[in-house]
Amino acid sequence: ADIIYTLGGKPYLNITNQCPCACVFCIRGEQSGVGSAQSLWHTADPAWTEIQQALAAYDFSQAKEVTYCGYGEPFCALENLKRSAAWLKQNYPGILLRVNTNGLGDLINDKPGAAILKGLIDTMSISLNAPNAARYDELVRSRYGEAAYTAMLRFARDCKALFPKVILTVVDVLTPEEIAQCQALADDMGIPLRVRKRT
């Protein structure tokens, strides 16, 4: 499987296939790859040496931003996320790094995860997904159950204090009323909201 792939001419990093969620709108159960990737399904999650080799072999000199977003949750590979981000910042100091996350990293790793990445990540994009815990559980189907929604919101608040840019996102499978409720929640938190199209 591809560790690095491109979508819209921009590089993405696929460092794990693990995820504690089974979102009803997730595309990974419908197609093997996205963008330039024939497949994003690893036989086993790549070791740091494999990730480092892929990074070294790829020319990032024209890239303005690299995004962690594959067929898994980046915080499920927190150590490799940190090491690869540090490698990119050292070798391409001008590059911006973004993590697309479900915001459950603290539950996944049983410790606060955002602070570990302070100084390495420029944008944290967090999947809000729903205006309340009940709807979130229905859509996201996290293995953490009722604890997930509260943990995600706490993670988002932590990130706001740690990173230059934080975004909350929802997918357009929500009703307009639900999206408006999510917007109000995001406004209350002081974090911008982006509505993603279900592709």
Side-chain angles (χ1 to χ4, degrees):
D2 294 85
I3 293 174
I4 303 173
Y5 67 102
T6 58
L7 181 63
K10 300 176 181 179
Y12 287 74
L13 297 186
N14 176 48
I15 62 171
T16 180
N17 287 156
Q18 298 179 60
C19 184
C21 303
C23 298
V24 297
F25 46 78
C26 186
I27 64 169
R28 72 181 199 156
E30 300 175 4
Q31 55 198 64
S32 297
V34 174
S36 68
Q38 292 294 313
S39 176
L40 292 174
W41 287 110
H42 298 294
T43 304
D45 278 1
W48 164 240
T49 53
E50 296 173 280
I51 295 171
Q52 187 178 31
Q53 287 171 2
L55 293 173
Y58 189 90
D59 181 9
F60 291 97
S61 60
Q62 301 303 310
K64 295 181 179 179
E65 184 178 60
V66 175
T67 301
Y68 289 85
C69 180
Y71 272 4
E73 164 54 45
F75 274 85
C76 286
L78 179 55
E79 184 60 27
N80 284 339
L81 170 57
K82 178 184 176 181
R83 294 178 78 169
S84 57
W87 188 97
L88 282 164
K89 285 295 187 182
Q90 181 178 353
N91 289 276
Y92 297 91
I95 211 161
L96 297 176
L97 299 183
R98 185 179 83 191
V99 176
N100 290 357
T101 176
N102 59 30
L104 301 180
D106 295 358
L107 295 179
I108 292 166
N109 295 290
D110 198 29
K111 62 182 178 182
I116 294 172
L117 301 175
K118 183 179 180 181
L120 295 174
I121 302 302
D122 301 283
T123 301
M124 194 68 73
S125 179
I126 304 162
S127 298
L128 174 62
N129 285 332
N132 56 65
R135 185 68 166 129
Y136 182 89
D137 192 51
E138 179 184 347
L139 289 172
V140 174
R141 300 182 295 186
S142 164
R143 70 168 179 244
Y144 301 112
E146 295 178 0
Y149 192 69
T150 301
M152 178 272 297
L153 293 177
R154 184 172 58 246
F155 179 85
R157 292 187 179 96
D158 289 346
C159 286
K160 187 171 183 288
L162 291 168
F163 302 108
K165 186 176 181 181
V166 179
I167 304 167
L168 291 171
T169 69
V170 295
V171 182
D172 62 1
V173 297
L174 296 179
T175 66
E177 292 78 13
E178 288 174 324
I179 291 175
Q181 291 169 357
C182 289
Q183 184 66 66
L185 177 58
D187 290 344
D188 185 61
M189 296 175 70
I191 301 175
L193 180 75
R194 183 171 71 88
V195 180
R196 307 187 337 256
K197 290 189 177 295
R198 205 280 189 189
T199 54

